[in-house]
Amino acid sequence: MASYSLFLKRSAGKELEAVPLKDRRRLVARIQGLAVEPHPPNVQKLSGAEKYRIRQGDYRLLYTIDDADRSVVIVRIGHRGDVYR
């Protein structure tokens, strides 16, 4: 049973649709894993913002965690070279 609620910003959903199918499946599995453990191994907290980053191949997931509401919001999904701009 998931302990955190998952929310995907509309813009992040569009970014996910643009990812090739092979990589998209892996990203969706990572997103679903955040419901169980929002602080998985190898997660990085981004400096200057209350956001976290997970690597999945050449793609990055940027998300926020609200421990009070027990929710995770996926903010951005993109290629490693473009996601931080």
Side-chain angles (χ1 to χ4, degrees), residues 18-79:
V19 173
L21 185 61
K22 178 182 81 169
D23 295 319
R24 189 180 326 153
R25 289 182 181 149
R26 292 180 183 156
L27 288 169
V28 169
R30 280 290 190 137
I31 291 170
Q32 291 171 341
L34 291 175
V36 178
E37 178 57 54
H39 298 282
N42 299 328
V43 67
Q44 290 281 321
K45 185 174 183 315
L46 298 179
S47 62
E50 289 297 318
K51 293 180 185 172
Y52 296 87
R53 176 206 75 189
I54 291 182
R55 294 173 45 189
Q56 178 58 55
D58 286 339
Y59 291 91
R60 304 296 183 259
L61 292 169
L62 302 182
Y63 64 98
T64 61
I65 301 170
D66 187 353
D67 288 318
D69 290 339
R70 300 188 62 75
S71 65
V72 174
V73 178
I74 308 300
V75 178
R76 190 114 197 256
I77 299 170
H79 193 269

Side-chain angles (χ1 to χ4, degrees), residues 3-16:
S3 60
Y4 278 74
S5 300
L6 289 175
F7 298 99
L8 191 68
K9 286 184 70 175
R10 181 176 287 166
S11 59
K14 289 180 181 180
E15 292 166 346
L16 183 60

